[in-house]
Amino acid sequence: MPTTVQSSELSRAETLYLTGLALVCVAVLVRTFEGEGEPLIASLALSGLAFSASYSMIRWLGPTFIKAGLKGRDLSKVNNSHYIPECMGGICAVVYLLTVIVFIPFPFYKDIVVATSGGGNRDVVMNVEFVQQGRLLHKFPHSKLASYLSAIISLQSITLLGIGDDLFDIRWRHKFFIPAFASIPLLVIYFIDFGVTSIVLPTFLQPYVGRELFDLGFLYYGYMSAFSIFSPNSINILAGINGIEVSQSVVIALLLTFNDALYLLTPYPHPATDSHLFSLYLLLPFLGVSLALLVHNWYPARVFVGDTYCYFAGMVFVVVSILGHFSKTLILLLIPQIFNFVYSTPQLFGLVPCPRHRLPHFNARTGLLEPSVTKWEKDKQPRAVVAKALRLLAQLRLLRLAEDEHGLIRETSNLTLINLCLVWRGPMREDRLATELTAMQAVLGLFGLFVRHKLALLVFREDNWNMRNAV
């Protein structure tokens, strides 16, 4: 299929649909203030507005990005001489940030009304001794507001750094640690507000250690910092075909949303409800902007997302998991990304030559994708240990390896999950490959949630989803 060039104008049907969606969302927002300012309903409405805004701006600003030099050609298409805009994930990130900023009053609406003199709480008479310059400051949940603002600062930081990467094409060894700087506000607030660095030991280890909790101290902050580096980069390296960066992010966000809903639908008040509501407030707008981007980035792609979206998406997951206190759950949802990173380490660390891009090879004659390969020269063969490891991977069907008549390695397939799927399944259409990878992400993610809430009981005393009494 040739590269698709789309108009920058919205069609009549798109205009009517987006306008109708926006009007409905605005009406819902107005209704929330007529009631008690229900924040979850407001978040859903703002997410709909974010979808409409992102969809429209992606279409309208495409030509502007091309004129600015933010453009590229889709190498996996026939007749790919046309340029399509890149870095469109930056639009989604900016719309998302504006959405979560506008949302700030909603989760604190009741607190503002109760804790603010003249803030709408006209039925309550406040004695002057309880008022400090017009506010009952001790009743306002400053810690929750600080957590929310730290999340926004971290996401703003990663967006700026991601846009810088798209503009200046920062080398991998330099940009690898970019997310660590963006996570600093997050870790500071975690230290001040929560500060828990203990982990629950499995039941079979507790008799040997003599306790149920083990305090990691500052090692726990090292773990969270490493996690903030891994998550954005793991989205970034599982890329190379239309739609895969956004689709995997949408699946992970939907699974996290489902996990949050489990804590909201319990028949009893759950101690983790506030944490999972906080997560939903950040995930719903993310789904709104990501679905708008997915429409344009799915096969055949009319836009490219850029590194900005990958960093931004990964940091959203880090923010909600750290401040929502379920980072282990997120790890179980990143099984494909973890496998892809481990599988890629020989190339990432220079044991095997790593090309600039490891996207699959497009066969113009068949229109199918095939595994891309690394060429080995006769005078530049891998070291003996590496060669044995490559041949072992080939025997296990984890690698495609070709040798010449002298037994020298001629080429090996690049070490990515996308290429591995092509090794297993054979040449495939790009859209089918993206669909199968997305389905695999969903299946493994659901299995991860099953492990988290059911199989974990084999090695832990209880699952906090089923806890009826907070400790």
Side-chain angles (χ1 to χ4, degrees), residues 302-324:
R302 281 87 72 194
V303 301
F304 291 139
V305 301
D307 290 339
T308 302
Y309 179 82
C310 299
Y311 289 131
F312 157 67
M315 187 55 69
V316 169
F317 303 146
V318 170
V319 166
V320 299
S321 65
I322 290 179
L323 295 182

Side-chain angles (χ1 to χ4, degrees), residues 70 86-91 93 154-170 175 178-179 182 232 236 305-313 315:
L70 297 172
E86 286 185 340
C87 194
M88 302 306 282
I91 293 177
S154 291
L155 293 170
Q156 285 178 333
S157 302
I158 199 66
T159 299
L160 290 173
L161 294 170
I163 291 174
D165 183 22
D166 280 327
L167 290 176
F168 303 111
D169 196 18
I170 304 173
K175 68 182 181 182
I178 282 178
N236 197 24
V305 301
D307 290 339
T308 302
Y309 179 82
C310 299
Y311 289 131
F312 157 67
M315 187 55 69

Side-chain angles (χ1 to χ4, degrees), residues 40 254-280 283 320-321 324-330 332-333 448-454 456-457 462-470:
L40 191 57
L254 286 173
L255 291 170
L256 288 173
T257 301
F258 174 71
N259 182 67
D260 291 332
L262 294 177
Y263 292 85
L264 303 184
L265 302 176
T266 55
Y268 51 86
H270 197 284
T273 296
D274 286 344
S275 296
H276 289 277
L277 274 174
F278 177 91
S279 172
L280 283 174
L283 286 174
V320 299
S321 65
H325 315 304
F326 53 86
S327 59
K328 295 185 292 295
T329 302
L330 178 59
L332 292 173
L333 301 183
L449 290 180
F450 175 74
V451 171
R452 171 67 182 84
H453 295 296
K454 295 299 181 182
L457 294 174
E462 57 191 2
D463 172 31
N464 63 358
W465 178 40
N466 296 319
M467 286 173 55
R468 292 183 180 270
N469 297 313

Side-chain angles (χ1 to χ4, degrees), residues 412-433:
T412 53
S413 57
N414 283 315
L415 302 174
T416 68
L417 180 59
I418 296 176
N419 283 305
L420 180 59
C421 288
L422 293 171
V423 170
W424 286 343
R425 304 276 286 118
M428 299 174 62
R429 278 175 52 95
E430 187 173 4
D431 53 344
R432 182 176 178 181
L433 176 60

Side-chain angles (χ1 to χ4, degrees), residues 14-27:
E14 289 173 326
T15 302
L16 291 174
Y17 172 77
L18 294 174
T19 303
L21 176 62
L23 290 175
V24 169
C25 292
V26 170

